[in-house]
């Protein structure tokens, strides 16, 4: 089946006083119906900019190229009027910052009822109210009736996040982009939110792009993971495989930095997104770096190879696993190629 969403070589940059910020620098990914694609990576790596590019919500200072195919249409070719038809209906964005995404002077109930009414003009106000309460209940909002009468400032960050999720879901979207959906939630609610999102994807067949800093959420929720670094996907593959057997030195460092896996931070800091590097963007922080890595930009190489004996090395379950690192370049000399060394 064709992917629900096909992002192809998308670049998004901003002209600023300091220079051009290359926030997203050639990202391609496929998202299938009923599947959850997780985007992880350090702060400033371009995750939210990519998420906002899809429904056309970047400020007009942004320059975007590439293509984003959704239901046969290239979203990057549509004007704002056509994009508005997709947004809030077929495409829902649950934004990263709940504090600024709700109207501070309107009650939660009013904002939620208005959002539902945009899709269901056949319902009475009472029915809309009931559906709003139902949605909040399904998102484990405590005292949903009372929350309907509350203003955003009376809710915690996690509660506001759930209101935004309810607003996003009320149009029965087939594509949901959720930016940090579990931020500010305690462990129990986080678990329930993950369960709820998984159920929505499986039951409605919606495809989800989930952006998260929470690597435990990414591991337990997502089918596929894309690891972003400096505006690029540096590793992509099946979630279980990626967490058990990370391939790219950046992914290895990222996973080693979380509690329970060593908590060893990656030394150094990410390069500025203004200067375009001539080589691998992770070069200065990489413990496997070699001279060539600073001179040429690596492609996304497949991480499985066929050895002389005909068996597949590097990953038993890593079908489709790819890393943007010369360690996996099949054209390299065998002694330089990590996979071939491991296969010996
Ligand atoms: N409107 C803008 N104008 C200029 N630069 C921007 C703009 N929006 C984002 N950027 C820059 O683009 C880069 C990527 O930002 P983005 O918000 O996508 O990061 P992120 O990966 O979502 O980070 P976080 O995990 O902290 O949310 C950053 O360097 C940011 O400063
Ligand atoms: Mg972000």
């Amino acid at each position: 089946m064709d992917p629900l969403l096909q992002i192809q070589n998308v670049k998004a940059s901003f002209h600023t006083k300091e220079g051009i910020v290359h926030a997203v620098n050639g990202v391609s990914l496929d998202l299938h119906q009923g599947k959850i694609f997780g985007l992880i990576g350090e702060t400033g790596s371009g995750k939210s900019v990519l998420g906002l590019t899809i429904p056309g919500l970047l400020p007009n200072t942004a320059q975007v190229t590439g293509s984003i195919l959704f239901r046969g249409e290239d979203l990057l070719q549509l004007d704002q009027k056509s994009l508005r038809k997709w947004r809030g209906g077929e495409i829902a964005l649950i934004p990263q910052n709940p504090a600024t995404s709700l109207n501070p002077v309107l009650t939660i109930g009013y904002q939620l009822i208005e959002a539902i009414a945009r899709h269901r003009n056949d319902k009475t106000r009472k029915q809309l109210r009931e559906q709003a309460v139902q949605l909040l209940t399904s998102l484990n909002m405590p005292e949903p009736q009372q929350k309907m009468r509350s203003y955003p400032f009376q809710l915690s960050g996690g509660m506001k996040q759930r209101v935004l999720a309810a607003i996003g879901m009320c149009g029965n979207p087939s594509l949901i982009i959720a930016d940090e959906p579990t931020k500010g939630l305690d462990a129990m609610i986080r678990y329930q939110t993950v369960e709820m999102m998984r159920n929505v994807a499986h039951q409605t067949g919606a495809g989800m792009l989930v952006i998260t800093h929470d690597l435990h959420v990414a591991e337990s929720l997502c089918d596929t993971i894309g690891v972003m670094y400096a505006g690029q996907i540096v590793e992509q593959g099946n979630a279980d495989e990626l967490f058990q057997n990370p391939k790219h030195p950046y992914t290895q460092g990222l996973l080693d930095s979380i509690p329970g896996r060593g908590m060893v931070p990656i030394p150094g800091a990410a390069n500025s997104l203004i200067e375009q590097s001539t080589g691998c963007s992770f070069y200065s922080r990489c413990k496997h770096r070699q001279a060539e890595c600073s001179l040429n930009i690596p492609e996304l190489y497949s991480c499985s190879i066929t050895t002389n004996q005909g068996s597949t090395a590097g990953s038993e379950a890593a079908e489709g696993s790819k890393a943007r690192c010369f360690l996996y370049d099949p054209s390299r000399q065998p002694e330089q190629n990590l996979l071939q060394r491991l296969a010996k």
Side-chain angles (χ1 to χ4, degrees), residues 44-226:
S45 55
K47 305 179 300 294
S48 293
V49 171
L50 180 64
L52 291 169
T53 306
I54 300 165
L57 285 173
L58 285 180
N60 45 20
T61 51
Q63 271 217 312
V64 183
T65 59
S67 69
I68 300 181
L69 298 176
F70 176 71
R71 298 215 180 285
E73 283 203 82
D74 183 356
L75 299 179
L76 293 185
Q77 299 305 321
L78 300 181
D79 56 21
Q80 279 299 323
K81 190 168 167 230
S82 316
L83 278 168
R84 263 197 298 276
K85 276 196 218 139
W86 289 117
R87 285 201 294 261
E90 286 271 317
I91 302 177
L93 176 84
I94 304 172
Q96 177 169 6
N97 193 345
T100 53
S101 304
L102 289 166
N103 188 325
V105 298
L106 299 174
T107 63
I108 298 304
Y110 184 88
Q111 297 186 57
L112 195 45
I113 287 172
E114 285 301 301
I116 301 171
R118 276 201 291 276
H119 308 286
R120 298 302 306 264
N121 51 13
D122 56 328
K123 292 201 172 192
T124 64
R125 204 76 190 163
K126 183 163 175 275
Q127 287 169 326
L128 290 171
R129 165 165 283 279
E130 278 167 8
Q131 194 179 336
V133 173
Q134 228 174 20
L135 259 171
L136 291 178
T137 310
S138 71
L139 290 164
N140 302 306
M141 178 72 91
E143 300 171 321
Q145 297 275 8
Q146 181 232 317
K147 294 296 177 312
M148 292 283 286
R149 295 188 292 276
S150 303
Y151 289 88
F153 77 89
Q154 295 171 303
L155 269 58
S156 70
M159 289 178 188
K160 285 196 273 260
Q161 190 73 45
R162 272 170 279 170
V163 173
L164 287 171
I167 289 175
M169 313 266 233
C170 64
N172 287 329
S174 56
L175 170 63
I176 299 169
I177 302 155
D179 198 347
E180 301 290 354
T182 57
K183 194 173 168 188
L185 304 183
D186 66 35
M188 190 52 166
I189 305 290
R190 194 162 63 226
Y191 171 77
Q192 290 170 349
T193 305
V194 165
E195 284 297 295
M196 181 274 299
M197 293 181 75
R198 195 183 290 120
N199 287 342
V200 169
H202 291 170
Q203 286 166 13
T204 67
M208 286 191 195
L209 185 69
V210 174
I211 296 167
T212 183
H213 269 119
D214 190 327
L215 300 182
H216 296 293
V217 166
E219 185 174 11
S220 59
L221 177 65
C222 302
D223 301 292
T224 307
I225 300 285

